[in-house]
Amino acid sequence: AALFIGSPQLSFGDSLLLAVLLIINIFALIVFLGITYYVFGQERLSDQELGRLEAWRINFGHNIEYYDSSTLTSLTQRVCAPDQYPLEMSGNIGALVKQIEEYAGTSNGIFRGPSLVCVALLLWALTIAADVTQIWDLSRALRCLPVTASTEVRASKAGGSAVRLCGIARTRKLWAFCVILMRAVSSVVLWILGSEFLCSYTISMAEILLNAVALEVVLTIDETMF
């Protein structure tokens, strides 16, 4: 739709609306990419987080002060086996341990976290591939259009509201290739950051599914707007 901004076939108001939608679309993509890179791109279990867990284990988990004489267990043992022992403190650590067990548990065979991430990555790559294929087809069609003095839009022979682009001005063709290039770059960047997002941000099975759906929403922002 951005291809027809400023064309004589559109009124000033229509061109202005398309220009505003294009700016909003670019701004939304930049915001989503920035959030994905600076916030969601951080690893859930980074080296710093693992260092804090190790410090907790040394300073609290194996501290004699938190040893339970009735069950003969340390705090670390009770955190790692909450179903067997009552846990009176360190609930956050216990919840994290439970998430790790659900994500990497071997009792479910292939039906666990790494398998879900692999499926999500495959579907995300296929979604990006379909988008890139559409961009490539659009660029091929644009290259085949003859360059004319002004952009020529005619009614389609099929009738109805369909139109046919018969010729395009040189400056408008250059502008169209710039838009296509921006869309291609954004798709590739979304693929890279989205893959990191699926792999690193969470180990919760439910959140992995929600994140995969959220990436699809980000990719279709332009189609939703136009």
Side-chain angles (χ1 to χ4, degrees):
L3 173 64
F4 298 100
I5 295 176
S7 64
Q9 288 76 20
L10 296 179
S11 65
F12 174 77
D14 293 335
S15 296
L16 181 61
L17 178 60
L18 287 178
V20 171
L21 289 176
L22 178 62
I23 294 173
I24 294 176
N25 184 22
I26 295 174
F27 176 75
L29 280 176
I30 292 174
V31 169
F32 275 116
L33 289 174
I35 292 175
T36 303
Y37 179 77
Y38 289 106
V39 180
F40 297 145
Q42 299 178 2
E43 294 183 1
R44 178 65 179 86
L45 293 176
S46 60
D47 293 338
Q48 185 178 4
E49 181 70 18
L50 292 176
R52 285 197 294 264
L53 292 174
E54 184 178 3
W56 174 89
R57 181 176 182 179
I58 295 173
N59 298 326
F60 297 97
H62 293 303
N63 194 320
I64 189 62
E65 182 180 349
Y66 304 108
Y67 182 80
D68 188 358
S69 57
S70 61
T71 58
L72 302 179
T73 57
S74 65
L75 180 58
T76 299
Q77 289 176 291
R78 297 196 298 279
V79 165
C80 293
D83 297 334
Q84 301 179 23
Y85 307 105
L87 187 61
E88 72 283 359
M89 60 185 301
S90 298
N92 293 336
I93 302 296
L96 178 59
V97 170
K98 185 177 180 180
Q99 277 191 354
I100 294 174
E101 290 177 347
E102 290 177 352
Y103 180 84
T106 57
S107 58
N108 297 329
I110 63 172
F111 303 106
R112 50 197 181 113
S115 300
L116 179 60
V117 171
C118 289
V119 172
L121 287 173
L122 176 61
L123 294 177
W124 176 236
L126 292 175
T127 303
I128 292 294
D131 190 63
V132 171
T133 301
Q134 185 180 8
I135 295 172
W136 174 250
D137 291 340
L138 181 60
S139 66
R140 289 179 60 190
L142 191 61
R143 286 200 306 270
C144 294
L145 277 176
V147 176
T148 55
S150 61
T151 303
E152 298 179 6
V153 180
R154 300 176 184 174
S156 176
K157 295 181 180 179
S161 59
V163 295
R164 186 160 51 99
L165 191 60
C166 300
I168 187 171
R170 189 177 301 276
T171 54
R172 189 171 299 278
K173 192 171 187 177
L174 180 61
W175 160 248
F177 275 120
C178 290
V179 173
I180 290 174
L181 179 61
M182 287 190 295
R183 184 177 172 187
V185 170
S186 65
S187 295
V188 174
V189 174
L190 270 175
W191 172 58
I192 296 173
L193 296 182
S195 299
E196 293 181 357
F197 178 42
L198 290 172
C199 291
S200 306
Y201 182 64
T202 182
I203 56 175
S204 170
M205 305 282 277
E207 289 185 6
I208 291 173
L209 289 174
L210 291 175
N211 293 344
V213 175
L215 288 174
E216 174 70 19
V217 173
V218 174
L219 189 62
T220 57
I221 286 179
D222 55 341
E223 296 180 3
T224 303
M225 286 188 176
F226 290 103

